[in-house]
Amino acid sequence: MHSHITPKRRIVLAACAAALGLACMQAGAQSAWPNKPVRMVVPFAPGGTTDILARAVAPELSRAFGQQFVVDNRAGAGGNVGADIVAKAPADGYTLLMGTVGTHGINKSLYAKMPFDPQKDFAPITLVAGVPNVMVMNAEKAGKLGINTVPDFVKYAKSHPGQLSMASSGNGTSIHLAGELFKAQNGIFMTHIPYRGSGPALLDLVGGSVDVMFDNLPSAMPQIKGGKLKAFAVTSAQRSAAMPELPTVEEAGKLKGFEASSWFGLLAPAGTPPDIVNRIQQEVAKALATPAIKEKMLAQGAIPSGNTPQEFAKLIDAEIIKWAQVVKASGAKVD
C-alpha cells in the first residue's frame, strides 16, 4: 500500500502536516497570550495624566491576564518618540501604547515630519478617558500681580507683552495647543516653554520659574487643592464635575467656541490579532466600570470610557480633522 505514495506526494503531505501544525501553534499562541510580561509605553515623563492613567489601568490588566503589564516611560517630541517605538514593535500583543490626543490627534498637523502614521500604523483598542485641561498659574505670583480671573490675566498679558511664560508637557500636546489657541483668540503673546511631560513642567510652575500652564486636570489637581496653583478655568466645553466651581474658558473669557480637551487611549501596533485587541478592550472596560476606579478617575477630573476599538478608531479620525483646524487657527508650528 505504501508503495503507491510518490515522493512528490510525500512532500505535499509533509507540507500539509507542517502547515496544520503551524496553524495549531498559531491558534495556541493566541489563546496562550499573554505568556510573558506586556509592555505599556507611556510617551511622556512620569507624573503627568498619561502616566497616571497608565498606572491605574496596568495593575487591573495584570490581575485579569495573570501577567505583569509594565509601564515604560519614553518621553520626547510631544509623544512621538514613545508612539514610534510601538508603531514599529511586533504586532503580537506584547507592546501597547497609552496614546494621547497629541500622538493621535494633533501631531499629524503640527509636525512637518512624522515618524509614523497615527491611523495606518496602529490598531486602536479603547479610549481610556477624556480629560479637560485647566488654566493654572503659580498661586503666589498670581496673588502678587493681582490676577484672579481670566480677564485679569488677559489684561496683564496685554499690558506686559512677552513677559509671561507658558509651560507645556511638550510641543503638540493639548496642553501646548490650548495655550496657543488662548493666545490667538485673545491676541496676546507669551513665551512657550515645552517640557518632556506634565510632571517636570508642574515642578517648574510650582517652583515659580514659569508662569502659566493649561495642564490636564488630573495632574494639576493635587497642586490646586494644595494651594500652590491658582486655577482660573477649564478648557472643556462644559464645566468639570470634579471642580464645578471653575468656569469654562469660554464663559470666563467670553471666547466663543473655545474647547481644547485631552483624551488618552490604548493602542497596539497595526496587525495585532483582533482577539487580543478585543480581550484587552473588554478587560479595560470592566476595570473602568468598577466603582473604585470610576470614582477615583471622576474625582481626578477624568471621564472614563472603555469604548470599542471601532468607536475609538472613529474618534481618532474625527480628532485629526478637528485639530488640523485648531493648529491652523493658532499658527502653532514645530519643526
Side-chain angles (χ1 to χ4, degrees), residues 246-331:
L246 284 183
T248 64
V249 169
E250 181 173 25
E251 288 175 313
K254 314 247 183 305
L255 296 175
K256 193 90 194 79
F258 188 98
E259 202 231 333
S261 297
S262 300
W263 50 260
F264 306 83
L266 278 178
L267 303 106
T272 300
D275 73 312
I276 292 177
V277 168
N278 291 328
R279 282 169 66 195
I280 297 170
Q281 183 268 329
Q282 283 155 12
E283 290 303 336
V284 172
K286 244 185 247 174
L288 294 177
T290 58
I293 292 188
K294 197 173 178 179
E295 277 158 32
K296 191 179 167 194
M297 281 197 177
L298 291 170
Q300 288 178 329
I303 299 147
S305 173
N307 65 3
T308 67
Q310 293 74 19
E311 288 165 336
F312 188 27
K314 268 203 189 110
L315 173 79
I316 290 170
D317 295 344
E319 286 286 288
I320 286 172
I321 295 164
K322 175 195 148 173
W323 285 100
Q325 293 163 336
V326 176
V327 168
K328 207 171 159 193
S330 72

Side-chain angles (χ1 to χ4, degrees), residues 22 31 41-42 56 73 81 86 88 119 178 182 274 312 321-322 332:
L22 187 65
S31 58
V41 174
V42 166
N73 297 84
V81 171
V86 179
K88 293 178 174 50
Q119 287 150 302
F182 186 84
F312 188 27
I321 295 164
K322 175 195 148 173

